[in-house]
């Protein structure tokens, strides 16, 4: 999972990044990347059972991109490293300021500015590709090119209506083709409203106020990034006192992790053994064969069967021998849809 933290200058996005990264900003400013583990009690339990040499949690990578202003994306005047980070990301975490940073706070206006930048950037990309197709192929009868042209014209009409490509319904084949363009408006978005200290305890009101005015059903969190960044530097004992004082029920890291997993539609399957216990994040609805490919591409190509048992059954029956005796240890084929918490052992050919 790779998520770009984005926002206008003064939104507090780097402060939020600092809170999420444990109080450290690599490089001292925007452009940093940090990895955080996704807590998983199931993996903790399995580690206790198997005592492996290594335990590997699912991981989220967060990048703090350069600030976005009007015209930056359409004209590609934005820092190229940040623009590339954005195109490669799986989702965006948009930080909107709702505190006095020297300018009137306008979270909805800031959202519209960046939303429009995404639309204009994608329009420019589509128009550029259509121009290249026209120059290179003209009206020649090339079925695959004509299919791409029709798809891009459909995208352009959608963008001209000021609609993000994330809500454009396309076939599975067209979806795979569009992925290669890395369109910004196709990526899922989450919003963090960066509040003042005074508003930090009234998050639900802040969220409801913004969500009622958003054009799309985008998940929203409210937080005071400044308080969270201070919290990240404290010991556990200091954190408990600080959180009680400010009415913070949970640190932003846990909230963001859950929001990202939910927004991206992810689950985890588990692999276990003396060498390693590991959580593997995949999309809901992933087949056993495709899940095997996340471990290694050869396992997908040479897939035979997946030995599987649900984590709950493993615990209930006291391990693999008890699961086999109870008949809950199964052999599944290529098309089996992996469930969250499945413990898998992949059988593959030579």
């Amino acid at each position: 999972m790779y998520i770009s933290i984005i926002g206008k200058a003064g939104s507090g996005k780097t402060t939020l990044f600092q809170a999420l990264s444990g109080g450290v900003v690599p490089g001292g400013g925007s452009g940093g990347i940090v990895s955080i583990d996704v807590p998983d009690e199931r993996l903790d339990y399995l580690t206790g059972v198997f005592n492996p040499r290594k335990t590997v949690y699912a991981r989220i990578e967060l990048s703090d991109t350069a600030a976005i202003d009007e015209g930056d994306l359409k004209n590609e005047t934005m820092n190229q490293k940040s623009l590339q980070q954005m195109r490669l990301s799986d989702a965006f975490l948009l930080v909107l300021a709702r505190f006095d940073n020297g300018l009137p706070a306008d979270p909805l206006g800031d959202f519209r500015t960046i939303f429009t930048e995404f639309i204009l950037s994608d329009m420019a990309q589509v128009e550029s590709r259509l121009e290249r197709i026209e120059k290179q192929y003209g009206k020649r009868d090339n079925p695959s090119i004509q299919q791409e042209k029709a798809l891009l014209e459909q995208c352009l009409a959608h963008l001209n209506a000021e609609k993000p490509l994330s809500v454009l319904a396309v076939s599975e084949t067209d979806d795979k083709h569009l992925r290669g363009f890395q369109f910004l408006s196709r990526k899922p978005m989450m919003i963090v409203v960066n509040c003042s200290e005074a508003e930090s305890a009234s998050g639900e009101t802040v969220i409801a106020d913004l969500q009622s005015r958003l054009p799309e059903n985008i998940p929203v969190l409210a937080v005071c990034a400044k308080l969270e960044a201070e919290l990240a530097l404290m010991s556990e004992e200091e954190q408990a006192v600080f959180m009680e004082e400010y009415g913070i029920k949970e640190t932003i890291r846990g909230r963001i992790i859950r929001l990202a997993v939910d927004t991206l539609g992810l689950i985890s399957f588990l692999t276990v053994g003396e060498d390693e216990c590991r959580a593997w994040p995949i999309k809901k609805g992933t087949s056993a064969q495709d899940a095997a490919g996340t471990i290694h591409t050869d396992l997908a190509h040479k897939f035979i069967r997946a030995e599987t048992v649900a984590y709950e059954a493993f615990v209930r029956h006291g391990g693999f021998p008890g699961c086999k005796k109870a008949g809950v240890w199964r052999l599944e084929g290529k098309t089996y849809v992996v469930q969250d918490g499945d413990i898998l052992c992949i059988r593959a050919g030579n």
Side-chain angles (χ1 to χ4, degrees):
M1 290 179 279
Y2 182 38
I3 296 172
S4 289
I5 302 176
I6 61 174
K8 295 186 71 175
S11 63
K13 64 180 182 58
T14 297
T15 305
L16 180 68
F17 177 75
Q18 184 175 4
L20 292 169
S21 63
V24 178
V25 178
S30 65
I33 298 176
V34 68
S35 293
I36 56 177
D37 289 338
V38 177
D40 194 328
E41 292 181 355
R42 301 169 303 188
L43 201 56
D44 295 338
Y45 175 85
L46 293 170
T47 295
V49 172
F50 290 92
N51 192 28
R53 295 181 182 87
K54 182 169 61 171
T55 298
V56 182
Y57 294 85
R59 183 164 288 183
I60 295 177
E61 280 194 318
L62 297 162
S63 68
D64 178 26
T65 65
I68 300 173
D69 208 345
E70 192 170 345
D72 281 350
L73 297 177
K74 179 190 175 184
N75 302 322
E76 294 199 354
T77 55
M78 186 180 183
N79 174 285
Q80 287 301 301
K81 177 183 176 183
S82 287
L83 184 57
Q84 183 67 3
Q85 286 174 336
M86 289 174 64
R87 293 207 181 280
L88 291 175
S89 63
D90 297 307
F92 295 124
L93 184 62
L94 171 59
V95 183
L96 301 174
R98 192 186 156 104
F99 60 91
D100 183 5
N101 59 2
L103 297 171
D106 184 15
L108 184 62
D110 292 346
F111 166 80
R112 286 174 175 161
T113 295
I114 290 177
F115 178 86
T116 301
E117 281 298 301
F118 283 4
I119 297 290
L120 293 175
S121 173
D122 289 350
M123 284 178 66
Q125 199 173 352
V126 170
E127 288 168 345
S128 176
R129 176 57 182 162
L130 285 171
E131 287 175 8
R132 288 199 301 273
I133 288 175
E134 186 63 30
K135 287 180 181 178
Q136 189 170 355
Y137 297 96
K139 296 183 179 180
R140 276 184 284 171
D141 186 19
N142 185 315
S144 64
I145 292 299
Q146 291 305 315
Q147 184 179 0
E148 180 186 0
K149 183 179 178 182
L151 174 61
L152 291 175
E153 287 173 343
Q154 184 184 5
C155 290
L156 188 58
H158 195 78
L159 292 165
N160 275 322
E162 299 183 358
K163 297 178 181 178
L165 294 178
S166 59
V167 296
L168 175 64
V170 295
S171 68
E172 187 175 343
T173 300
D174 287 344
D175 177 70
K176 288 180 180 178
H177 185 76
L178 289 178
R179 285 179 209 167
F181 289 94
Q182 299 174 333
F183 289 126
L184 300 178
S185 74
R186 286 200 89 215
K187 299 179 185 295
M189 182 183 287
M190 303 163 280
I191 288 176
V192 168
V193 183
N194 190 6
C195 304
S196 65
E197 290 185 25
E199 273 194 315
S200 61
S202 55
E204 294 304 319
T205 302
V206 171
I207 291 169
D209 178 54
L210 182 61
Q211 278 187 322
S212 66
R213 296 183 290 162
L214 286 174
E216 303 294 334
N217 185 25
I218 300 172
V220 180
L221 291 179
V223 68
C224 176
K226 179 175 177 291
L227 290 180
E228 292 286 346
E230 292 175 15
L231 189 61
L233 295 171
M234 298 178 184
S235 66
E236 289 186 12
E237 293 78 9
E238 291 172 326
Q239 284 183 353
V241 174
F242 189 87
M243 289 171 71
E244 184 175 356
E245 180 181 352
Y246 283 94
I248 301 172
K249 296 179 181 178
E250 182 185 11
T251 63
I252 190 59
R253 180 182 285 204
R255 295 167 67 193
I256 291 294
I257 287 172
R258 283 201 309 280
L259 184 65
V261 168
D262 185 58
T263 300
L264 290 170
L266 298 176
I267 62 172
S268 289
F269 72 90
L270 310 166
T271 55
V272 297
E274 293 181 357
D275 286 334
E276 178 184 272
C277 286
R278 182 166 185 154
W280 300 87
I282 55 172
K283 288 275 190 181
K284 291 177 184 175
T286 298
S287 69
Q289 185 175 26
D290 289 340
T294 65
I295 301 174
H296 197 287
T297 52
D298 281 353
L299 291 180
H301 297 320
K302 301 174 182 178
F303 182 95
I304 298 175
R305 288 284 187 273
E307 298 179 10
T308 182
V309 64
Y311 167 79
E312 291 79 7
F314 180 92
V315 175
R316 185 167 59 250
H317 296 290
F320 291 141
C323 290
K324 292 176 181 177
K325 185 176 180 180
V328 294
W329 176 264
R330 313 182 311 276
L331 287 177
E332 299 288 358
K334 294 179 179 180
T335 59
Y336 169 70
V337 176
V338 177
Q339 302 300 305
D340 188 34
D342 274 355
I343 301 173
L344 296 184
C345 178
I346 306 299
R347 290 186 182 179
N350 296 324

